[in-house]
Amino acid sequence: MIQRSLVLLKPDAVARGHMGEIISRFEKIGLKIVGMKMVWVDKEFSKKHYEEHVEKPFYKGLEALITLGPVLAMVIEGVEAIETIRKVVGPTEPKGAPAGTIRGDFAHVSYDYADAEGLGIKNLIHASANKDDAKKEIALWFEDSELHSYKNVHDVHILK
Ligand code: CDP
Ligand code: MG
């Protein structure tokens, strides 16, 4: 039941100075960061990470967005963490993302606006969608030696 998920703070989140606030949200709900690094990905790497979207009309804009600057890549662990993290992240389109979610609180653009401008949707964050994606994405972004098993307060106050 303890799962790990790949979370990326995309270049828009990094450039806007929201890394700390977003990391805090995950820490506050008792999830554990077990890996973290900054990576500036190129087009080739983007195509690997977003393999399922490469043929889609919005891919060009998405690739421009994800390669715009460094991302903060993290592996975050917790009880059924994949679903919990997606809940905290919110739905893809910021316009419809509920207040309280990261995408609802830090962005507001719509699909219509992004499509009309030929832009990728700047929604600050990526999180693995399911167990298979999490496994694949963690292996793509992190070496085993970059991931750490350790105890923190959550092990005492939340998990037991
Ligand atoms: O990130 P998420 O899993 O919520 O959405 P996705 O459908 O897997 O799409 C990946 C990313 O592509 C989104 O987070 C957006 O940044 C971007 N996207 C876009 O620019 N325009 C779309 N119509 C759909 C997605
Ligand atoms: Mg996705």
Side-chain angles (χ1 to χ4, degrees):
M1 282 213 194
I2 303 283
Q3 297 174 342
R4 288 180 168 184
S5 180
L6 179 84
V7 174
L8 305 175
L9 303 192
K10 294 177 180 176
D12 50 319
V14 174
R16 290 174 60 197
H18 290 316
M19 286 189 290
E21 281 175 275
I22 295 172
I23 292 165
S24 279
R25 291 189 177 204
F26 292 119
E27 290 184 316
K28 277 180 197 158
I29 62 177
L31 293 165
K32 189 190 288 182
I33 296 163
V34 298
M36 180 185 278
K37 62 183 173 183
M38 273 185 124
V39 188
W40 194 329
V41 302
D42 60 16
K43 291 179 179 181
E44 195 185 332
F45 193 90
S46 169
K47 287 187 180 75
K48 287 186 190 157
H49 175 70
Y50 283 125
E51 193 181 7
E52 62 174 321
H53 297 314
V54 170
E55 302 299 330
K56 296 183 183 164
F58 64 81
Y59 179 73
K60 210 166 169 251
L62 172 59
E63 186 181 77
L65 167 59
I66 201 72
T67 59
L68 198 60
V71 308
L72 185 70
M74 295 182 273
V75 176
I76 301 184
E77 182 182 278
V79 177
E80 303 193 47
I82 295 166
E83 194 181 326
T84 293
I85 291 169
R86 291 285 287 202
K87 176 191 71 177
V88 172
V89 164
T92 310
E93 186 188 32
K95 172 179 163 252
T101 65
I102 292 163
R103 287 166 168 173
D105 284 353
F106 292 92
H108 72 279
V109 299
S110 62
Y111 284 132
D112 284 349
Y113 175 79
D115 288 350
E117 297 288 323
L119 296 169
I121 299 244
K122 290 184 170 134
N123 56 11
L124 297 105
I125 184 163
H126 166 86
S128 301
N130 54 54
K131 280 186 199 170
D132 286 347
D133 281 6
K135 198 171 170 210
K136 228 178 358 183
E137 292 174 359
I138 290 169
L140 177 65
W141 285 82
F142 285 87
E143 304 286 341
D144 285 347
S145 61
E146 294 174 313
L147 300 175
H148 306 287
S149 293
Y150 63 97
K151 295 241 175 280
N152 69 5
V153 290
H154 304 324
D155 291 295
V156 177
H157 295 288
I158 292 184
L159 299 183
K160 297 290 173 208

